[in-house]
């Protein structure tokens, strides 16, 4: 059949106008199949890594299989050699040595592996009205009302006074018990329903129900609490005071699931930011012979502002680069000043139900590929590191050359709110940084949603970046 000739206007529009396409309209069935397949192990990753500690252990397991070994500053390394540095079991750095000298700079991909959740307080366990409960202090930005009447699992570690560490993951197995923050029945919620949404459940109401069976002994008080401690002692060898040196947290007890009749999406706890952790990890594992040395960062504490020695507002990335540079007798800052970074984090996807919070011409959409966000911040770009036009041009070229589906995003309408990522902390090291990631619906809720095509685009983007000359 003869192709109909394009009009002058159609031709001009094709040549001059920005034309982003829904990945589903690209008629690339092989790519969509690849995206479906790519997401199967990603769902397993989500289920296995609900805390930063679990993510670090699992990533090390995968990295070691791909040839990564603990970094030894006294050793000598060749291009293609692979090392890692474990920061306190809660953050992790991977590096693959490139063929170019490290003085040419490194390629950094930095995501975070902590997610919003309910942390147990130092003295969590109490009994009231013959119910045993845990007091919690929420971690990160949550809408507290979303965490009531939801099955929760207990994850974390208990470190005994003698240094012995006990790992806890209870509520994940089919037969495991789960836990729950109770909410008020609507019949009696007349006053509660008048509260502003931010106080639908208040911080001190996020109490987790953990038991109601008393220990059968009339001589003791708080029999339910005693029975719970007895069970914890049986299971984990702990006493009440061991809570003082524990990191225990409540996370949603369910696993990742396909969403939609077309199975085009994944619903799960913790896509933010394990979706970027996983996709950058896969790219890093597969980029065996990069030209530039690649560093993949899995950071902790992003959800609470990146402070603390496992957050990226600490110097551990700088020290790592310094140690790598020292192998070649180069200074750390000489390397950092010539380095680039993809700050890998999720962005808000357009949600038609709440369409007026995003600016339609500049926000990200599900199924349009990886989002490049030039700046985040709020209130007049406050608290962001904006990528330069030069660096944006370079990123555009890398993505387009590798035929990665990508789009741009902004975090909400002007003056609607906003937020930040680790980008500004990496930029503070004199590195060129831009935010990239996957668009998410219901971000920070117990059940976040991403599109499988977007997950795959992010992986392709990280791989293109890691391997670009
Ligand atoms: Mn994030
Ligand atoms: Mn977040």
């Amino acid at each position: 059949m003869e192709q109909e000739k394009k009009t002058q206007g159609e031709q001009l529009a094709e040549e001059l106008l920005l034309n982003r396409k829904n990945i589903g309209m690209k008629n690339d069935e092989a790519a969509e199949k690849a995206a479906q397949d790519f997401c199967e192990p990603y769902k397993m990753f989500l289920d296995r890594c609900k805390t930063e500690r679990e993510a670090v252990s699992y990533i090390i397991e995968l990295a070691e299989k791909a040839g990564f070994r603990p970094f030894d500053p006294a050793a000598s390394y060749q291009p293609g050699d692979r090392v890692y540095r474990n920061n306190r079991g809660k953050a992790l750095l991977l590096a693959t040595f490139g063929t170019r000298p490290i003085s040419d700079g490194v390629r950094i991909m930095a995501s975070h592996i902590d997610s919003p959740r309910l942390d147990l307080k130092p003295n969590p366990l109490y009994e009231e009205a013959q119910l045993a409960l845990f007091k919690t202090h929420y971690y990160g930005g949550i809408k507290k009302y979303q965490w009531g009447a939801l099955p929760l699992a207990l994850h974390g570690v208990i470190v005994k006074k003698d240094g012995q560490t006990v790992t806890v993951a209870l509520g994940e197995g089919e037969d495991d018990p789960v836990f729950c923050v109770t909410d008020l029945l609507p019949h009696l919620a007349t006053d509660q329903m008048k509260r502003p949404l931010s106080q639908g459940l208040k911080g001190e109401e996020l109490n987790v129900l953990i038991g109601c069976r008393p220990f059968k002994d009339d001589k003791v008080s708080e029999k339910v609490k005693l029975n719970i401690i007895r069970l914890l002692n049986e299971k984990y060898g702990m006493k009440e005071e061991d809570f003082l040196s524990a990191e225990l947290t409540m996370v949603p007890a369910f696993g990742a699931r396909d969403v939609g009749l077309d199975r085009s999406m994944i619903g799960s706890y913790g896509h933010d930011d394990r979706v970027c952790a996983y996709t950058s990890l896969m790219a890093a594992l597969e980029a065996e012979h990069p030209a530039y040395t690649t560093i993949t960062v899995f950071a902790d504490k992003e959800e609470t502002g990146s402070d603390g020695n496992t957050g990226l507002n600490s110097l551990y990335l700088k020290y790592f680069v310094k140690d790598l540079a020292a192998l070649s007798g180069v200074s750390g800052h000489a390397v950092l000043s010539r380095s680039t970074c993809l700050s890998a984090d999720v962005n808000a996807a357009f949600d038609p139900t709440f369409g007026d919070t995003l600016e339609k011409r500049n926000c990200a959409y599900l199924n349009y590929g990886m989002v490049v966000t030039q700046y985040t911040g709020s209130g007049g770009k406050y608290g962001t590191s904006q990528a330069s036009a030069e660096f944006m041009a370079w990123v555009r070229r890398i993505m387009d050359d590798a035929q990665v589906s990508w789009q741009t995003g902004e975090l909400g309408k002007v003056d609607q709110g906003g937020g930040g990522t680790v980008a500004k902390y990496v930029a503070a090291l004199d590195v060129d940084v831009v935010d990239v990631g996957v668009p998410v619906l219901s971000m920070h809720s117990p059940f976040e949603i991403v599109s499988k095509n977007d997950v795959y685009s992010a992986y392709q983007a990280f791989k293109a970046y890691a391997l670009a000359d």
Side-chain angles (χ1 to χ4, degrees):
M1 204 171 75
E2 205 177 312
Q3 195 85 27
E4 221 174 292
K5 202 169 178 282
K6 283 181 185 140
T7 64
Q8 201 185 356
E10 281 175 327
Q11 252 180 37
L12 266 185
E14 199 178 296
E15 281 168 29
L16 299 181
L17 296 180
L18 175 65
N19 180 22
R20 294 254 178 263
K21 250 196 183 141
N22 184 310
I23 295 174
M25 294 300 287
K26 288 191 172 172
N27 271 329
D28 191 345
E29 274 180 33
E32 290 211 65
K33 170 77 169 60
Q36 289 280 344
D37 294 346
F38 182 84
C39 285
E40 289 306 308
Y42 171 51
K43 286 187 281 183
M44 274 169 49
F45 181 84
L46 286 164
D47 293 349
R48 278 197 58 170
C49 306
K50 292 193 175 181
T51 66
E52 63 280 358
R53 285 181 187 266
E54 290 165 354
V56 165
S57 318
Y58 190 43
I59 294 170
I60 288 178
E61 206 180 302
L62 297 177
E64 286 194 335
K65 275 187 202 147
F68 287 83
R69 296 290 174 264
F71 176 62
D72 175 3
S76 71
Y77 292 101
Q78 304 300 316
D81 284 349
R82 314 182 109 183
V83 296
Y84 69 85
R85 179 174 278 171
N86 179 347
N87 181 1
R88 298 168 171 86
K90 299 168 69 153
L92 183 70
L93 299 152
L94 305 182
T96 300
F97 290 92
T99 48
R100 300 178 70 126
I102 197 159
S103 52
D104 286 354
V106 296
R107 297 264 163 91
I108 303 166
M109 301 182 275
S111 63
H112 68 91
I113 48 177
D114 60 318
S115 295
R117 63 196 186 214
L118 305 181
D119 284 348
L120 299 203
K121 290 193 183 191
N123 280 308
L125 180 59
Y126 70 104
E127 172 176 339
E128 204 168 328
Q130 278 124 69
L131 299 176
L133 299 116
F134 279 148
K135 290 301 293 180
T136 67
H137 193 143
Y138 66 95
Y139 173 97
I142 61 166
K143 290 164 101 175
K144 295 184 273 288
Y145 71 86
Q146 292 178 334
W147 290 74
L150 186 80
L152 297 171
L154 179 66
H155 285 238
V157 294
I158 302 152
V159 184
K160 310 276 181 65
K161 234 181 344 192
D162 63 4
Q164 188 208 341
T165 302
V166 183
T167 306
V168 177
L170 187 60
E172 298 295 341
E174 291 250 313
D175 296 328
D176 280 3
V178 293
F179 313 95
C180 182
V181 172
T182 54
D183 198 354
L184 190 58
L185 59 166
H187 318 63
L188 300 183
T190 311
D191 292 336
Q192 185 198 26
M193 297 296 241
K194 288 180 192 144
R195 295 180 189 175
L197 193 57
S198 62
Q199 292 175 33
L201 282 173
K202 297 180 188 174
E204 293 294 356
E205 291 172 347
L206 295 172
N207 304 317
V208 182
L209 185 61
I210 51 166
C212 72
R213 182 173 294 152
F215 185 78
K216 291 173 191 61
D217 183 344
D218 286 336
K219 292 273 168 55
V220 293
S221 59
E222 299 197 314
K223 300 177 184 61
V224 180
K225 173 178 168 178
L226 184 67
N227 194 43
I228 289 294
I229 265 295
R230 182 186 67 84
L231 291 168
L232 287 170
N233 183 265
E234 258 175 28
K235 206 165 168 56
Y236 304 116
M238 71 179 292
K239 301 193 249 178
E240 188 177 13
E241 67 172 358
D242 290 321
F243 280 121
L244 299 176
S245 52
E247 286 172 24
L248 292 169
T249 191
M250 288 286 173
V251 295
F254 41 78
R257 300 284 295 266
D258 282 353
V259 171
L261 278 173
D262 54 8
R263 294 182 176 269
S264 54
M265 297 165 281
I266 303 168
S268 172
Y269 166 68
H271 282 306
D272 177 8
D273 182 33
R274 294 190 187 99
V275 68
C276 293
Y278 184 77
T279 48
S280 62
L281 171 66
M282 288 303 118
L285 297 185
E286 287 169 27
E288 290 182 38
H289 301 287
Y292 290 83
T293 295
T294 57
I295 296 180
T296 316
V297 186
F298 304 94
D300 180 28
K301 294 282 178 282
E302 194 278 340
E303 296 296 358
T304 52
S306 293
D307 293 321
N309 57 13
T310 52
L312 266 182
N313 195 13
S314 145
L315 294 175
Y316 67 94
L317 171 60
K318 183 178 170 179
Y319 290 160
F320 188 54
V321 173
K322 226 173 148 178
D323 288 346
L324 294 178
L327 297 169
S328 315
V330 187
S331 79
H333 76 256
V335 175
L336 284 164
S337 301
R338 304 196 63 186
S339 295
T340 60
C341 173
L342 298 186
S343 160
D345 208 343
V346 296
N347 199 337
F350 182 78
D351 182 340
T353 305
F354 303 101
D356 57 356
T357 59
L358 289 145
E359 194 260 288
K360 286 183 183 161
R361 290 172 187 82
N362 282 284
C363 67
Y365 292 85
L366 227 57
N367 225 26
Y368 273 73
M370 187 196 64
V371 197
V372 178
T373 308
Q374 198 182 359
Y375 51 85
T376 58
S378 59
K381 300 188 178 178
Y382 194 87
T384 182
S385 73
Q386 180 160 347
S388 69
E390 288 85 349
F391 188 52
M392 286 298 290
W394 184 81
V395 171
R396 279 175 61 197
R397 182 164 59 74
I398 299 289
M399 297 307 144
D400 288 345
D401 286 356
Q403 293 181 305
V404 175
S405 294
W406 67 280
Q407 57 182 325
T408 52
E410 217 187 3
L411 191 51
K413 265 186 181 171
V414 176
D415 290 340
Q416 184 69 45
T421 65
V422 300
K424 62 177 177 179
Y425 303 109
V426 182
L429 302 174
D430 196 25
V431 173
D432 270 307
V433 188
V434 69
D435 279 296
V436 305
V438 172
V440 176
L441 290 170
S442 302
M443 193 197 294
H444 281 207
S445 78
F447 196 65
E448 304 177 313
I449 289 168
V450 299
S451 138
K452 291 180 180 177
N453 283 334
D454 296 335
V455 176
Y456 192 63
S457 299
Y459 153 73
Q460 290 177 305
F462 292 127
K463 207 165 164 187
Y465 170 74
L467 290 173
D469 287 335

